[in-house]
């Protein structure tokens, strides 16, 4: 976060672009073992979490990001019972998974204990007590190491890690080798969902490469996007599975599943939204088809800043 003057900070997306935010106060500012952490009260978006200077989520619109990361995958699965969440330190991804009464157990692996402490203290609206739900096993550790060593299998794996920054902790969670390890931990109908970075036309290579890398592991891969106002960018997500395809579910079927599973309180996701999410614009289809490469451990991908 770069302070521009005493009431404004800039979040830079690249060397050439950024978003100016008016702010009231800084609640947290410091370095952990893994990253720079800031929690700031802004005028437009309320409380915001920034990691390494990048907006992770805001009080005003985090529901858009977290609902659309979690529910398309869990609704596409016929009966998700065991779920793995990787990252997601704010606890909001966990909160959305726990909305599904059929989910019996959630393992959450977050690398940064300090982010969890800050979230417990300052981001109550995000986690809403999710960390203390008896269905949750919270592990502090590296998501990559966890999937490489754990014997467990899951119906859904939700990956909510930071963008692949040059020296960030998440870079090796975007590679072919990682997705193969995740695939080994999925039940036969298991599904993987992840945030895939900005889907802006000037940064298409990252989402397209994540999509391409998943395609090297999973027979069914679907990308989708939504605009997140506090990011000031259209944001990409990807789903992968051996057989389940979110695109075959129409709006009425999604609404039936939501009702049958007694999901309540959603503000962003329903049948109509689901159908719209998987009807991609021609421009995004073109980006996904032409701009990606397979990301490997020895040839990672990095966001511009
Ligand atoms: N909304 C986000 C975005 O736009 O990038 C992601 C949010 S979430 C706060 C990202 C979390 O991933 C952070 O809490 C970070 O500590 C965690 N993380 C990063 N690398 C990780 C790793 N290797 N294993 C587990 N968690 C990781």
């Amino acid at each position: 976060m770069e302070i521009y003057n005493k009431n404004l900070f800039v979040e830079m997306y690249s060397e050439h672009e950024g978003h100016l935010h008016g702010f009231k106060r800084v609640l947290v500012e410091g370095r952990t073992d893994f990253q720079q952490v800031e929690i700031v009260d802004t005028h437009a978006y309320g409380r915001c979490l920034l990691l390494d200077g990048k907006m992770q989520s805001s009080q005003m619109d985090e529901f858009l990001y977290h609902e659309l990361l979690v529910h398309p995958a869990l609704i596409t699965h016929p009966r998700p019972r065991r779920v793995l969440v990787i990252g997601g330190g704010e606890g909001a991804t966990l909160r959305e998974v726990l909305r599904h009464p059929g989910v019996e157990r959630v393992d959450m692996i977050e690398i940064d204990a300090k982010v969890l402490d800050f979230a417990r203290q300052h981001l109550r609206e995000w986690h809403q007590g999710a960390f203390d739900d008896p269905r949750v096993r919270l592990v502090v550790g590296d998501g990559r190491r966890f999937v490489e060593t754990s014997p467990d299998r899951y119906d859904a794996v939700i990956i909510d890690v930071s963008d692949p920054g040059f020296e960030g902790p998440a870079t090796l969670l975007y590679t072919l080798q990682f997705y193969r390890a995740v695939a080994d931990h999925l039940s036969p109908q298991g599904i993987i969902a992840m945030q895939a970075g900005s889907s802006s036309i000037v940064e298409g290579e990252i989402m397209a490469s994540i999509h391409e890398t998943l395609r090297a592991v999973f027979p069914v891969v679907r990308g989708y996007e939504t605009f997140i106002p506090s990011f000031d960018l259209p944001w990409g997500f990807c789903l992968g599975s051996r057989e389940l395809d979110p695109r075959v579910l129409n709006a009425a079927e999604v609404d039936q599943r939501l009702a049958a599973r007694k999901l309540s309180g959603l503000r962003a996701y329903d049948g109509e939204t689901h159908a719209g999410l998987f009807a991609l614009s021609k421009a995004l289809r073109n980006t996904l088809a032409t701009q990606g490469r397979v990301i490997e451990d020895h040839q990672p991908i990095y966001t511009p800043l």
Side-chain angles (χ1 to χ4, degrees):
M1 176 173 113
E2 244 173 76
I3 304 284
Y4 189 71
N5 71 24
K6 72 181 183 19
N7 300 314
L8 293 168
F9 72 87
V10 186
E11 183 206 356
M12 295 301 292
Y13 315 139
S14 70
E15 282 173 18
H16 313 291
E17 258 192 296
H19 184 166
L20 202 57
H21 290 270
F23 71 97
K24 299 179 211 171
R25 62 179 180 144
V26 177
L27 290 103
V28 170
E29 188 172 21
R31 261 213 93 69
T32 70
D33 289 344
F34 301 97
Q35 53 214 339
Q36 176 72 20
V37 181
E38 275 125 8
I39 298 181
V40 188
D41 281 344
T42 66
H43 286 280
Y45 297 103
R47 192 154 292 178
C48 297
L49 170 71
L50 290 98
L51 295 179
D52 288 335
K54 295 284 189 92
M55 184 70 74
Q56 302 294 303
S57 57
S58 89
Q59 188 178 4
M60 174 72 85
D61 63 8
E62 59 82 9
F63 71 97
L64 294 171
Y65 173 97
H66 292 109
E67 287 188 24
L68 298 182
L69 170 64
V70 170
H71 302 302
L74 293 194
I75 285 295
T76 298
H77 191 286
R79 199 169 168 218
R81 278 180 288 187
R82 294 175 59 100
V83 179
L84 173 65
V85 172
I86 303 180
E90 305 101 321
T93 294
L94 194 58
R95 175 197 77 208
E96 291 304 321
V97 171
L98 293 169
R99 270 188 210 279
H100 291 252
V103 166
E104 293 162 4
R105 156 101 180 245
V106 192
D107 291 343
M108 172 170 159
I109 318 305
E110 161 62 53
I111 203 166
D112 199 332
K114 287 240 166 72
V115 170
L116 293 170
D117 290 345
F118 292 137
R120 278 188 192 272
Q121 207 182 334
H122 299 290
L123 306 177
R124 284 171 199 281
E125 271 189 44
W126 278 249
H127 60 79
Q128 295 177 16
F131 297 127
D132 302 316
D133 188 292
R135 292 175 285 170
V136 173
R137 177 171 70 126
L138 184 59
V139 176
V140 175
D142 175 25
R144 168 93 187 232
R145 202 177 140 64
F146 181 87
V147 296
E148 285 176 348
T149 52
S150 156
D152 294 330
R153 283 187 183 269
Y154 301 92
D155 300 312
V157 176
I158 314 279
I159 305 174
D160 184 16
V161 291
S162 336
D163 291 346
F166 186 57
E167 284 178 329
T171 308
L172 293 181
L173 280 72
Y174 288 90
T175 66
L176 179 69
Q177 289 72 19
F178 175 65
Y179 296 146
R180 280 189 182 142
V182 172
D184 287 343
H185 290 275
L186 287 175
S187 54
Q189 287 196 305
I191 188 160
I192 170 175
M194 75 198 56
Q195 75 97 355
S198 159
S199 55
S200 157
I201 201 142
V202 296
E203 273 184 43
E205 189 203 342
I206 293 180
M207 181 179 178
S209 297
I210 293 170
H211 190 266
E212 196 62 19
T213 308
L214 285 170
R215 271 165 36 86
V217 179
F218 295 100
V220 183
V221 176
R222 300 288 175 213
Y224 57 103
E225 67 176 342
T226 195
F227 188 80
I228 310 279
S230 62
F231 294 3
D232 208 359
L233 288 166
W235 208 254
F237 303 86
C238 289
L239 294 185
S241 85
R242 293 193 185 91
E243 57 181 76
L244 295 175
D245 186 349
R247 232 170 47 180
V248 305
L249 286 178
N250 66 32
E253 286 163 332
V254 169
D255 285 334
Q256 270 164 16
R257 288 190 183 192
L258 286 168
R261 298 182 195 184
K262 299 190 172 48
L263 250 87
S264 59
L266 299 183
R267 296 161 68 196
Y269 179 77
D270 66 1
E272 191 166 335
T273 300
H274 181 102
L277 282 179
F278 295 99
L280 301 189
S281 68
K282 185 172 181 178
L284 182 57
R285 276 182 279 138
N286 186 42
T287 300
L288 296 180
T290 59
Q291 291 192 29
R293 67 167 170 90
V294 174
I295 309 165
E296 300 216 40
D297 282 353
H298 69 273
Q299 208 182 18
I301 200 159
Y302 302 113
T303 45
L305 269 186

